[in-house]
Amino acid sequence: MKENNQVSVPVIKRLPRYHRYLEELKKMGVVRISSKELSVRMGLTASQIRQDFNCFGGFGQQGYGYNIEQLYNEIGNILGINNKSKAILIGAGNLGHAIATHLNFQNKGFELISIFDNNPEVVGTTVGGLVVLNSNDLEEFCKKEKPDIAILCIPAEYAAENADKLVSLGIKGFWNFTQYDLVHRYENIAVENVHLGDSLMTLCYQINEIDKGVEG
Amino acid sequence: MKENNQVSVPVIKRLPRYHRYLEELKKMGVVRISSKELSVRMGLTASQIRQDFNCFGGFGQQGYGYNIEQLYNEIGNILGINNKSKAILIGAGNLGHAIATHLNFQNKGFELISIFDNNPEVVGTTVGGLVVLNSNDLEEFCKKEKPDIAILCIPAEYAAENADKLVSLGIKGFWNFTQYDLVHRYENIAVENVHLGDSLMTLCYQINEIDKGVEG
């Protein structure tokens, strides 16, 4: 699939959203949808949608709209969600616990194969069907199981040190829930940051703007 | 603060990140920083940083760099994090539980004042120091306490219905953890979506691209 090597990051970022909408439409039994209808649902322009899909070679037929099942599968293929990369989770605190139990990794391209923590009270307990392992065993585990990504649910001050170690053990990507920005630390390592605090502050700004509008 | 009415969304989105970096620098005892130094730390260009700060009227002095304490406080003021808007959390499952206990709402502009759930086994339990209330009491509660935002940690299929009800009860914004996109549903309602599944799929794409690079 050489043609999508040049796809821009904003397009890539929209693909999971398309995938999510198409899944919903599929569940509702819809078979075809026009870029216009899809655009109304998603709050994008129809031309934006056509442009995005053209990056991957189309999928649509002029005047007939898009076949939802086909489009859904194609986008899934582009995202690579059928490859089932191996994920490990570092830090089984409240957030790690929620991540492990709340999300369906399987249909997002991953298999959560293990959870690590350094708290003796947590090690040995079961979280989301997995026994929490001791962080001391991480090295041996990685050499044997070769996980692809690590989910970091640890305090920010341990993020850099842990990430360095994990990269040295062959980890190729991070789903980073720490406040620490890993993006610019490594080359050729994938990073998705989920900065919940930043999101909350952005909401704070929006709320205050609304309040100003009301009061002004 | 009329001058920031025209600030673009990308700039706003960067403010929490600046705030986070400046907090870190403050903790380390750093007093001043140049846009160049800050740019290296944050992976932005120095000119980008100067442009961003100019949107709010500067803060810097040519050749002297930025006073970190002052810049930190100013950005906090722009974000409005000292206003302490009232937040309620809907859905005390794994994710809601993690949100309630993991995050420091106070320094992000909010006070979490209550948690609601409709599961009789959860109602009455204590989560993050708050007793979980019955969703049936939501209406009365909102009329009395006038919360500003609701954090949605409920299944996607209940999102629209719950959001409609909350808007009718005076809620002005959502921190939306459901898969349902609330963005285009209301006018003049603030929405921050945290689509964890989308983030995970984006990471999946990146990992597969790295793998292709290695194999190709």
Side-chain angles (χ1 to χ4, degrees):
Chain A
M1 214 173 284
K2 279 288 169 206
E3 65 273 27
N4 61 346
N5 280 349
Q6 299 305 318
V7 177
S8 71
V9 173
V11 179
I12 298 304
K13 291 258 177 198
R14 277 194 289 274
L15 289 184
R17 206 165 148 234
Y18 286 125
H19 196 260
R20 185 152 46 82
Y21 270 80
L22 292 166
E23 187 169 30
E24 209 179 295
L25 290 166
K26 223 166 62 101
K27 274 188 197 156
M28 288 161 64
V30 185
V31 175
R32 286 194 163 273
I33 193 162
S34 68
S35 51
K36 182 134 190 286
E37 284 172 278
L38 193 58
S39 75
V40 172
R41 283 183 170 265
M42 296 190 63
L44 296 166
T45 66
S47 105
Q48 173 78 85
I49 289 177
R50 283 192 298 266
Q51 254 177 46
D52 284 356
F53 293 171
N54 278 338
C55 292
F56 303 103
F59 307 140
Q61 215 182 327
Q62 191 77 39
Y64 283 85
Y66 297 100
N67 177 308
I68 285 169
E69 176 90 32
Q70 193 192 346
L71 189 52
Y72 175 80
N73 291 337
E74 286 289 345
I75 291 178
N77 286 338
I78 292 162
L79 289 168
I81 59 173
N82 301 316
N83 297 354
K84 302 281 174 288
S85 301
K86 291 181 189 173
I88 58 173
L89 191 150
I90 316 292
N94 280 314
L95 187 63
H97 201 285
I99 301 291
T101 51
H102 176 77
L103 280 171
N104 182 348
F105 284 88
Q106 294 280 341
N107 69 2
K108 309 278 185 298
F110 292 97
E111 187 191 357
L112 183 62
I113 60 168
S114 213
I115 302 173
F116 290 86
D117 203 292
N118 59 9
N119 179 349
E121 286 180 23
V122 176
V123 172
T125 63
T126 303
V127 172
L130 294 167
V131 176
V132 179
L133 304 180
N134 193 314
S135 300
N136 293 336
D137 300 329
L138 190 58
E139 192 166 335
E140 200 182 339
F141 180 92
C142 288
K143 281 179 184 160
K144 202 173 146 205
E145 300 292 339
K146 302 194 178 1
D148 299 287
I149 68 150
I151 306 166
L152 299 182
C153 294
I154 51 178
E157 55 266 41
Y158 305 120
E161 175 194 341
N162 269 277
D164 286 350
K165 187 178 168 193
L166 287 160
V167 167
S168 79
L169 293 171
I171 284 289
K172 291 177 290 187
F174 293 100
W175 202 21
N176 177 30
F177 284 82
T178 80
Q179 287 212 15
Y180 186 87
D181 269 323
L182 286 174
V183 175
H184 309 287
R185 198 169 174 88
Y186 313 104
E187 274 181 41
N188 220 26
I189 294 286
V191 179
E192 265 287 302
N193 290 306
V194 182
H195 291 309
L196 295 175
D198 287 13
S199 173
L200 194 54
M201 280 200 261
T202 307
L203 183 59
C204 175
Y205 176 85
Q206 290 182 56
I207 289 290
N208 286 309
E209 286 300 297
I210 289 174
D211 282 347
K212 278 182 210 164
V214 171
E215 286 158 19
Chain B
M1 213 174 283
K2 281 287 169 204
E3 66 272 29
N4 60 347
N5 280 350
Q6 300 306 318
V7 176
S8 71
V9 173
V11 179
I12 298 304
K13 291 258 176 198
R14 276 194 290 273
L15 289 184
R17 206 165 148 234
Y18 286 125
H19 196 260
R20 186 153 45 83
Y21 270 82
L22 292 165
E23 186 169 30
E24 209 179 296
L25 290 165
K26 224 165 63 102
K27 274 188 197 158
M28 289 161 62
V30 184
V31 175
R32 287 193 163 272
I33 193 161
S34 68
S35 50
K36 181 134 190 290
E37 284 171 278
L38 194 57
S39 76
V40 172
R41 283 183 170 264
M42 295 190 66
L44 296 166
T45 66
S47 107
Q48 173 78 84
I49 288 177
R50 283 192 298 267
Q51 254 177 45
D52 283 355
F53 294 169
N54 278 338
C55 292
F56 305 102
F59 308 140
Q61 217 182 326
Q62 191 76 39
Y64 283 85
Y66 298 100
N67 177 308
I68 285 168
E69 178 90 33
Q70 193 192 345
L71 189 52
Y72 175 80
N73 291 336
E74 288 288 347
I75 290 178
N77 287 338
I78 293 163
L79 289 169
I81 59 172
N82 301 317
N83 296 355
K84 301 281 174 288
S85 302
K86 292 180 190 175
I88 57 174
L89 191 150
I90 316 292
N94 281 314
L95 187 63
H97 201 285
I99 302 291
T101 52
H102 176 78
L103 280 170
N104 183 348
F105 284 88
Q106 294 281 342
N107 70 3
K108 309 278 185 303
F110 292 96
E111 186 191 358
L112 183 61
I113 60 168
S114 212
I115 302 173
F116 290 87
D117 204 291
N118 60 9
N119 179 350
E121 286 180 23
V122 176
V123 172
T125 62
T126 303
V127 172
L130 294 167
V131 176
V132 179
L133 304 180
N134 193 316
S135 300
N136 294 335
D137 301 328
L138 190 59
E139 192 166 333
E140 200 183 337
F141 180 92
C142 287
K143 281 178 184 161
K144 201 174 148 204
E145 300 292 340
K146 301 194 181 352
D148 299 287
I149 69 149
I151 306 165
L152 299 182
C153 294
I154 52 180
E157 54 265 42
Y158 305 119
E161 175 195 342
N162 270 275
D164 286 351
K165 187 179 168 190
L166 287 159
V167 168
S168 79
L169 293 171
I171 285 289
K172 292 178 289 187
F174 293 101
W175 203 20
N176 178 29
F177 284 83
T178 78
Q179 286 212 17
Y180 186 87
D181 269 322
L182 286 175
V183 175
H184 309 288
R185 198 170 175 87
Y186 313 104
E187 274 183 39
N188 221 26
I189 295 285
V191 178
E192 266 287 303
N193 291 306
V194 182
H195 291 309
L196 295 176
D198 287 14
S199 172
L200 193 53
M201 280 200 263
T202 307
L203 183 58
C204 175
Y205 177 86
Q206 291 182 55
I207 289 291
N208 286 311
E209 286 301 298
I210 290 174
D211 282 347
K212 279 182 212 163
V214 171
E215 285 158 19

